[in-house]
Amino acid sequence: MERKEAIRSAYRMTGGNSFYDGMITCSTLSGKAVCRLVWAMNKAECDDYLEKALSGIPEHFSGKLLEVPVGTGILTMPVYQTMPEADITCLDYSPDMMRQAREKADRLHLKNVTFRQGDVGALPYADDTFDIVLSLNGFHAFPDKEAAYREVFRVLRPGGTFCGCFYVKGEHKRTDWFVRHIYEKAGFFTPPYETVSSLKARLDGMYTDVDMGNLKSMAWFVCRKAG
């Protein structure tokens, strides 16, 4: 079975039934409404930037991967089912999010995924531990972004890949308004935020082979730590 079809069938098993999962995946009626209202995106656009963010993970990856934060696991557990040889660690600060991710992993009978509660600003791992660090929709929420960038770089081995996506300000006025007045007040997002140009400058300063772009207010990136 081709990887995309395998991911689709695993996704059907894990479901996107909760409001949060539906919103992140733009797959439910309420999720589509939020995507359109807040992010000015449709399902195809949402899928597009996520696919680019995940493109840093090779199809038959069998090394060590850290995902931080894992959230509810809705975006990645179906992907991990296609990578049975990989050694995957999922870290999140929220025990509730992690419980939901673990339930999805159990539903898919994933044996190669470990869950750990922890802080991205002080990762409980040695230097040069992981071949890939994946961060989807995380950096706009982290309170200490500088520490998060430092820690991700530290635990990534030379030649390893850092990939993911997150919100960048200054690309869409309505999105910026919602972030400032709704998401920040609810505690979902924490300033300061990158812009497209500040993120490019940061990644170019830390990594090599930086491939990045943005779809409206979501930036995606795939870059390599010099080896």
Side-chain angles (χ1 to χ4, degrees), residues 147-215:
Y149 281 117
R150 279 196 308 272
E151 283 292 270
V152 164
F153 186 84
R154 181 184 66 77
V155 301
L156 192 61
R157 69 163 180 77
T161 299
F162 175 40
C163 57
C165 60
F166 55 78
Y167 161 73
V168 284
K169 70 176 182 182
E171 296 300 311
H172 198 275
K173 282 193 170 65
R174 191 168 73 225
T175 303
D176 292 345
W177 187 92
F178 271 99
V179 166
R180 200 164 58 249
H181 295 281
I182 309 292
Y183 286 22
E184 277 181 27
K185 286 183 169 50
F188 299 147
F189 285 32
T190 310
Y193 306 111
E194 298 279 12
T195 61
V196 169
S197 58
S198 75
L199 178 59
K200 176 90 169 70
R202 182 188 291 276
L203 295 178
D204 281 341
M206 297 178 79
Y207 295 92
T208 59
D209 301 334
V210 176
D211 183 18
M212 69 161 276
N214 68 292
L215 193 54

Coordinates of all heavy atoms in Angstrom, one line a residue, residues 147-215:
A147 N 14.9 29.4 24.1 CA 15.3 28.1 24.8 C 14.9 27.0 23.9 O 15.6 26.0 23.8 CB 14.7 28.0 26.2
A148 N 13.7 27.0 23.3 CA 13.2 25.9 22.5 C 14.1 25.8 21.2 O 14.5 24.6 20.9 CB 11.7 26.2 22.1
Y149 N 14.4 26.8 20.6 CA 15.3 26.7 19.4 C 16.7 26.1 19.8 O 17.2 25.3 19.1 CB 15.6 28.1 18.8 CG 14.4 28.6 17.9 CD1 13.7 29.8 18.3 CD2 14.1 28.0 16.7 CE1 12.7 30.3 17.5 CE2 13.1 28.5 15.9 CZ 12.4 29.6 16.3 OH 11.4 30.1 15.5
R150 N 17.2 26.6 20.9 CA 18.5 26.1 21.4 C 18.5 24.6 21.7 O 19.4 23.8 21.3 CB 19.0 26.9 22.7 CG 19.6 28.2 22.4 CD 20.4 28.7 23.7 NE 19.6 28.6 24.9 CZ 18.8 29.6 25.3 NH1 18.7 30.7 24.6 NH2 18.1 29.5 26.4
E151 N 17.4 24.2 22.4 CA 17.3 22.8 22.8 C 17.1 21.9 21.6 O 17.7 20.8 21.6 CB 16.2 22.7 23.8 CG 16.5 23.1 25.2 CD 17.5 22.2 25.8 OE1 17.2 21.2 26.5 OE2 18.8 22.5 25.7
V152 N 16.3 22.3 20.7 CA 16.1 21.5 19.5 C 17.4 21.3 18.8 O 17.7 20.1 18.4 CB 15.0 22.1 18.5 CG1 15.1 21.5 17.1 CG2 13.6 21.9 19.1
F153 N 18.1 22.3 18.6 CA 19.4 22.3 17.9 C 20.4 21.3 18.7 O 21.1 20.5 18.1 CB 20.0 23.7 17.8 CG 21.3 23.7 17.0 CD1 21.2 23.8 15.6 CD2 22.5 23.7 17.6 CE1 22.4 23.9 14.8 CE2 23.7 23.7 16.8 CZ 23.6 23.8 15.5
R154 N 20.4 21.4 20.0 CA 21.3 20.7 20.8 C 21.1 19.2 20.7 O 22.0 18.4 20.6 CB 21.1 21.1 22.3 CG 22.0 20.4 23.3 CD 21.8 20.8 24.7 NE 20.5 20.4 25.2 CZ 20.2 19.1 25.6 NH1 21.0 18.1 25.5 NH2 18.9 18.8 26.0
V155 N 19.8 18.7 20.7 CA 19.5 17.3 20.8 C 19.5 16.7 19.4 O 19.5 15.5 19.2 CB 18.1 17.0 21.4 CG1 18.1 17.5 22.9 CG2 17.0 17.5 20.7
L156 N 19.6 17.5 18.3 CA 19.6 17.0 17.0 C 21.1 16.7 16.6 O 22.0 17.4 16.9 CB 19.1 18.1 16.0 CG 18.8 17.8 14.6 CD1 17.7 16.7 14.5 CD2 18.4 19.0 13.8
R157 N 21.3 15.5 16.0 CA 22.7 15.1 15.7 C 23.1 15.9 14.5 O 22.3 16.3 13.6 CB 22.7 13.6 15.4 CG 22.0 13.1 14.2 CD 22.5 11.8 13.7 NE 21.8 11.3 12.5 CZ 22.1 11.8 11.3 NH1 23.1 12.6 11.1 NH2 21.4 11.3 10.2
P158 N 24.5 16.0 14.3 CA 25.0 16.7 13.1 C 24.5 15.9 11.8 O 24.5 14.7 11.8 CB 26.5 16.6 13.2 CG 26.7 16.5 14.7 CD 25.5 15.7 15.3
G159 N 24.0 16.6 10.9 CA 23.4 16.0 9.7 C 22.0 15.7 9.8 O 21.3 15.3 8.9
G160 N 21.4 15.9 11.0 CA 20.0 15.7 11.3 C 19.1 16.7 10.7 O 19.5 17.8 10.4
T161 N 17.8 16.5 10.7 CA 16.8 17.3 10.1 C 15.9 17.9 11.1 O 15.3 17.2 12.0 CB 15.9 16.6 9.1 OG1 16.8 16.1 8.0 CG2 14.9 17.4 8.4
F162 N 15.6 19.2 11.0 CA 14.6 19.9 11.8 C 13.5 20.4 10.9 O 13.8 21.0 9.9 CB 15.2 21.1 12.5 CG 14.3 22.0 13.3 CD1 13.2 21.5 14.0 CD2 14.4 23.4 13.3 CE1 12.3 22.3 14.7 CE2 13.6 24.2 14.0 CZ 12.5 23.7 14.7
C163 N 12.3 19.9 11.1 CA 11.2 20.3 10.2 C 9.9 20.5 11.0 O 9.8 20.1 12.1 CB 11.0 19.2 9.1 SG 10.6 17.6 9.8
G164 N 9.0 21.3 10.3 CA 7.7 21.5 11.0 C 7.0 22.7 10.4 O 7.3 23.1 9.3
C165 N 6.1 23.3 11.2 CA 5.4 24.5 10.8 C 4.8 25.2 12.0 O 4.7 24.6 13.1 CB 4.2 24.1 9.9 SG 3.0 22.9 10.7
F166 N 4.6 26.5 11.8 CA 3.9 27.3 12.9 C 3.5 28.6 12.3 O 3.8 29.0 11.2 CB 4.8 27.4 14.2 CG 6.2 28.0 13.9 CD1 6.4 29.4 13.7 CD2 7.3 27.2 13.9 CE1 7.6 29.9 13.6 CE2 8.6 27.7 13.8 CZ 8.7 29.1 13.6
Y167 N 2.7 29.4 13.2 CA 2.2 30.7 12.8 C 3.3 31.7 12.7 O 4.2 31.8 13.5 CB 1.2 31.1 13.9 CG 0.9 32.6 13.9 CD1 0.1 33.1 12.9 CD2 1.3 33.4 14.9 CE1 -0.2 34.5 12.9 CE2 1.0 34.7 14.9 CZ 0.3 35.3 13.9 OH 0.0 36.6 14.0
V168 N 3.2 32.5 11.6 CA 4.0 33.7 11.5 C 3.1 34.9 11.3 O 2.1 34.9 10.7 CB 5.0 33.6 10.3 CG1 6.2 32.7 10.6 CG2 4.3 33.2 9.0
K169 N 3.5 36.0 12.0 CA 2.7 37.2 11.9 C 3.0 38.1 10.7 O 4.1 37.9 10.0 CB 2.8 38.1 13.2 CG 4.2 38.8 13.3 CD 4.2 39.6 14.6 CE 5.6 40.4 14.6 NZ 5.7 41.2 15.8
G170 N 2.1 38.9 10.3 CA 2.3 39.9 9.3 C 1.9 39.4 7.9 O 2.2 40.1 6.9
E171 N 1.3 38.2 7.8 CA 0.9 37.7 6.4 C -0.5 37.8 6.1 O -0.9 37.8 5.0 CB 1.4 36.2 6.3 CG 2.9 36.0 6.4 CD 3.6 36.7 5.3 OE1 3.2 36.6 4.1 OE2 4.6 37.4 5.6
H172 N -1.4 37.9 7.2 CA -2.8 38.0 7.0 C -3.4 38.7 8.1 O -3.4 38.2 9.3 CB -3.4 36.6 6.8 CG -4.8 36.6 6.2 ND1 -5.9 36.8 6.9 CD2 -5.1 36.4 4.9 CE1 -7.0 36.7 6.1 NE2 -6.5 36.5 4.8
K173 N -4.0 39.9 7.8 CA -4.5 40.8 8.9 C -5.5 40.1 9.8 O -5.5 40.2 11.0 CB -5.1 42.0 8.3 CG -4.0 43.1 7.9 CD -4.7 44.4 7.6 CE -3.7 45.5 7.4 NZ -2.9 45.3 6.2
R174 N -6.5 39.4 9.2 CA -7.5 38.8 10.0 C -7.0 37.7 11.0 O -7.3 37.6 12.1 CB -8.6 38.2 9.1 CG -9.9 37.8 9.9 CD -11.0 37.4 9.0 NE -10.9 36.2 8.3 CZ -11.1 36.0 7.0 NH1 -11.4 37.0 6.2 NH2 -10.9 34.8 6.5
T175 N -6.0 36.9 10.4 CA -5.4 35.9 11.3 C -4.7 36.6 12.5 O -4.8 36.1 13.6 CB -4.4 35.0 10.5 OG1 -5.1 34.4 9.4 CG2 -3.8 34.0 11.3
D176 N -3.9 37.6 12.2 CA -3.2 38.3 13.2 C -4.2 38.8 14.3 O -3.9 38.8 15.5 CB -2.4 39.5 12.6 CG -1.2 39.0 11.8 OD1 -0.9 37.8 11.8 OD2 -0.7 39.9 11.0
W177 N -5.3 39.3 13.9 CA -6.3 39.8 14.8 C -6.8 38.7 15.7 O -6.9 38.9 16.9 CB -7.5 40.4 14.1 CG -8.5 41.1 15.0 CD1 -8.5 42.4 15.3 CD2 -9.6 40.5 15.7 NE1 -9.5 42.7 16.2 CE2 -10.2 41.5 16.5 CE3 -10.1 39.2 15.8 CZ2 -11.3 41.3 17.3 CZ3 -11.1 38.9 16.6 CH2 -11.8 40.0 17.4
F178 N -7.2 37.6 15.1 CA -7.6 36.4 15.9 C -6.6 36.0 16.9 O -6.9 35.6 18.1 CB -8.1 35.3 15.0 CG -9.5 35.3 14.6 CD1 -9.9 35.8 13.4 CD2 -10.5 34.9 15.5 CE1 -11.2 35.9 13.0 CE2 -11.8 35.0 15.1 CZ -12.2 35.5 13.9
V179 N -5.3 35.9 16.5 CA -4.2 35.5 17.3 C -4.1 36.4 18.5 O -4.0 36.0 19.7 CB -2.9 35.4 16.6 CG1 -1.7 35.3 17.5 CG2 -2.9 34.2 15.6
R180 N -4.1 37.7 18.2 CA -3.9 38.7 19.3 C -5.1 38.8 20.3 O -4.9 38.8 21.5 CB -3.7 40.1 18.7 CG -3.0 41.1 19.5 CD -2.4 42.3 18.8 NE -3.5 43.0 18.0 CZ -3.6 43.0 16.7 NH1 -2.7 42.3 15.9 NH2 -4.5 43.6 16.0
H181 N -6.3 38.7 19.8 CA -7.5 39.0 20.6 C -8.1 37.7 21.1 O -8.8 37.8 22.1 CB -8.5 39.8 19.9 CG -8.0 41.2 19.5 ND1 -8.0 42.2 20.5 CD2 -7.5 41.7 18.4 CE1 -7.5 43.3 19.9 NE2 -7.2 43.0 18.6
I182 N -7.9 36.6 20.5 CA -8.6 35.3 20.9 C -7.6 34.3 21.4 O -7.6 33.9 22.6 CB -9.4 34.7 19.8 CG1 -10.4 35.8 19.1 CG2 -10.2 33.5 20.3 CD1 -11.5 36.3 20.0
Y183 N -6.6 33.9 20.6 CA -5.7 32.8 20.9 C -4.8 33.2 22.0 O -4.5 32.3 22.9 CB -5.0 32.4 19.6 CG -5.8 31.6 18.6 CD1 -7.2 31.7 18.6 CD2 -5.2 30.8 17.7 CE1 -7.9 31.0 17.7 CE2 -5.9 30.1 16.8 CZ -7.3 30.2 16.8 OH -8.0 29.5 15.8
E184 N -4.3 34.4 22.0 CA -3.4 34.8 23.1 C -4.2 34.8 24.5 O -3.7 34.4 25.5 CB -2.8 36.2 22.9 CG -1.6 36.1 22.0 CD -1.0 37.5 21.8 OE1 -1.2 38.4 22.6 OE2 -0.3 37.7 20.7
K185 N -5.3 35.4 24.4 CA -6.1 35.6 25.7 C -6.5 34.2 26.2 O -6.7 34.0 27.4 CB -7.4 36.5 25.4 CG -7.0 37.9 25.3 CD -8.2 38.8 25.1 CE -7.8 40.3 25.3 NZ -6.7 40.7 24.5
A186 N -6.7 33.2 25.3 CA -7.1 31.9 25.8 C -5.8 31.1 26.2 O -6.0 30.0 26.8 CB -7.8 31.1 24.6
G187 N -4.7 31.7 26.0 CA -3.4 31.0 26.4 C -2.9 30.0 25.4 O -2.0 29.2 25.7
F188 N -3.5 30.0 24.2 CA -3.1 29.0 23.2 C -1.8 29.4 22.5 O -1.0 28.6 22.1 CB -4.1 28.8 22.1 CG -5.4 28.3 22.6 CD1 -6.6 28.6 22.0 CD2 -5.5 27.4 23.7 CE1 -7.8 28.2 22.5 CE2 -6.7 26.9 24.2 CZ -7.9 27.3 23.6
F189 N -1.6 30.7 22.3 CA -0.4 31.3 21.6 C 0.3 32.3 22.6 O -0.4 32.9 23.4 CB -0.8 32.1 20.4 CG -1.2 31.2 19.2 CD1 -1.8 30.0 19.3 CD2 -1.0 31.7 17.9 CE1 -2.2 29.2 18.2 CE2 -1.4 30.9 16.8 CZ -2.0 29.7 16.9
T190 N 1.6 32.4 22.4 CA 2.4 33.2 23.3 C 3.3 34.1 22.4 O 4.2 33.5 21.7 CB 3.2 32.4 24.3 OG1 2.4 31.5 24.9 CG2 3.9 33.3 25.3
P191 N 3.2 35.4 22.5 CA 4.2 36.2 21.7 C 5.6 36.2 22.4 O 5.7 35.7 23.5 CB 3.6 37.6 21.9 CG 2.8 37.6 23.1 CD 2.3 36.2 23.3
P192 N 6.6 36.6 21.7 CA 6.7 37.2 20.4 C 6.6 36.1 19.3 O 6.9 35.0 19.5 CB 8.0 37.9 20.4 CG 8.9 37.1 21.2 CD 8.0 36.6 22.3
Y193 N 6.2 36.6 18.1 CA 6.1 35.7 17.0 C 7.1 36.0 15.9 O 7.5 37.1 15.7 CB 4.7 35.8 16.3 CG 3.6 35.6 17.4 CD1 2.8 36.6 17.7 CD2 3.4 34.3 18.0 CE1 1.8 36.5 18.7 CE2 2.4 34.2 18.9 CZ 1.6 35.2 19.3 OH 0.7 35.1 20.2
E194 N 7.5 35.0 15.1 CA 8.4 35.2 14.0 C 7.6 35.8 12.8 O 6.3 35.7 12.8 CB 8.9 33.8 13.5 CG 9.8 33.0 14.4 CD 11.2 33.5 14.5 OE1 11.5 34.6 14.0 OE2 12.0 32.8 15.1
T195 N 8.3 36.5 11.9 CA 7.7 36.8 10.6 C 8.4 35.9 9.6 O 9.3 35.1 10.0 CB 8.1 38.3 10.3 OG1 9.5 38.4 10.2 CG2 7.5 39.2 11.3
V196 N 8.0 35.9 8.4 CA 8.6 35.0 7.4 C 10.1 35.4 7.3 O 10.9 34.5 7.3 CB 7.9 35.2 6.0 CG1 8.7 34.5 4.9 CG2 6.5 34.6 6.0
S197 N 10.4 36.7 7.3 CA 11.8 37.1 7.1 C 12.6 36.8 8.3 O 13.8 36.4 8.2 CB 11.9 38.5 6.7 OG 11.3 39.4 7.7
S198 N 12.1 36.9 9.5 CA 12.9 36.7 10.8 C 13.1 35.2 10.9 O 14.2 34.7 11.4 CB 12.2 37.2 12.0 OG 11.0 36.4 12.4
L199 N 12.1 34.4 10.5 CA 12.3 32.9 10.6 C 13.4 32.4 9.6 O 14.2 31.6 9.9 CB 11.0 32.2 10.3 CG 11.0 30.7 10.3 CD1 11.5 30.1 11.6 CD2 9.7 30.0 9.9
K200 N 13.3 33.0 8.4 CA 14.3 32.7 7.4 C 15.7 33.0 7.9 O 16.7 32.2 7.8 CB 14.0 33.4 6.1 CG 15.0 33.2 5.0 CD 14.6 32.1 4.1 CE 15.4 32.0 2.8 NZ 16.8 31.6 3.0
A201 N 15.9 34.2 8.5 CA 17.2 34.6 9.0 C 17.6 33.7 10.1 O 18.8 33.4 10.2 CB 17.1 36.1 9.4
R202 N 16.7 33.4 11.0 CA 17.1 32.5 12.1 C 17.5 31.1 11.6 O 18.6 30.6 12.1 CB 15.9 32.3 13.1 CG 16.2 31.5 14.3 CD 15.0 31.2 15.1 NE 14.4 32.4 15.8 CZ 14.9 32.8 17.0 NH1 15.9 32.3 17.6 NH2 14.3 33.9 17.5
L203 N 16.7 30.5 10.8 CA 17.1 29.1 10.3 C 18.4 29.2 9.5 O 19.2 28.3 9.6 CB 15.9 28.6 9.5 CG 14.6 28.3 10.3 CD1 13.5 27.8 9.3 CD2 14.8 27.3 11.4
D204 N 18.5 30.2 8.6 CA 19.8 30.3 7.9 C 21.0 30.5 8.8 O 22.1 30.0 8.4 CB 19.7 31.5 6.9 CG 18.9 31.2 5.6 OD1 18.7 30.0 5.3 OD2 18.4 32.2 5.0
G205 N 20.8 31.1 9.9 CA 21.9 31.3 10.8 C 22.3 30.1 11.6 O 23.4 30.0 12.2
M206 N 21.3 29.1 11.8 CA 21.6 27.9 12.6 C 21.8 26.7 11.8 O 22.5 25.8 12.2 CB 20.4 27.7 13.5 CG 20.1 28.8 14.5 SD 18.6 28.4 15.6 CE 19.3 27.2 16.7
Y207 N 21.1 26.6 10.6 CA 21.1 25.3 9.8 C 21.6 25.5 8.4 O 21.8 26.6 7.9 CB 19.7 24.8 9.8 CG 19.1 24.4 11.1 CD1 18.4 25.3 11.9 CD2 19.3 23.1 11.7 CE1 17.9 25.0 13.2 CE2 18.8 22.8 12.9 CZ 18.1 23.7 13.7 OH 17.6 23.3 14.9
T208 N 21.8 24.4 7.7 CA 22.2 24.4 6.3 C 21.0 23.9 5.5 O 20.1 23.3 6.1 CB 23.4 23.6 6.0 OG1 23.2 22.3 6.4 CG2 24.6 24.1 6.8
D209 N 21.0 24.0 4.2 CA 20.0 23.4 3.3 C 18.6 23.8 3.8 O 17.7 22.9 3.9 CB 20.1 21.9 3.2 CG 21.5 21.4 2.7 OD1 22.1 22.2 2.0 OD2 21.9 20.3 3.0
V210 N 18.4 25.1 4.1 CA 17.1 25.5 4.6 C 16.1 25.6 3.4 O 16.3 26.3 2.5 CB 17.2 26.9 5.3 CG1 15.8 27.4 5.7 CG2 18.1 26.8 6.5
D211 N 15.0 24.9 3.5 CA 13.9 24.9 2.6 C 12.7 25.4 3.4 O 12.3 24.7 4.3 CB 13.7 23.6 2.0 CG 12.6 23.6 0.9 OD1 12.3 24.7 0.4 OD2 12.0 22.5 0.5
M212 N 12.1 26.6 3.1 CA 11.0 27.0 3.8 C 10.1 27.9 2.9 O 10.5 28.3 1.9 CB 11.4 27.8 5.1 CG 12.0 29.2 4.8 SD 12.0 30.3 6.3 CE 10.4 31.0 6.1
G213 N 8.9 28.0 3.4 CA 7.9 28.8 2.7 C 6.7 29.0 3.6 O 6.7 28.6 4.8
N214 N 5.7 29.7 3.1 CA 4.5 29.9 3.9 C 3.3 29.9 3.1 O 3.3 30.2 1.9 CB 4.6 31.3 4.7 CG 4.5 32.5 3.8 OD1 5.5 32.7 3.0 ND2 3.4 33.2 3.9
L215 N 2.2 29.5 3.7 CA 0.9 29.5 3.1 C 0.1 30.4 4.0 O -0.2 30.1 5.1 CB 0.3 28.1 3.0 CG -0.9 27.9 2.1 CD1 -0.7 28.4 0.7 CD2 -1.3 26.5 2.1

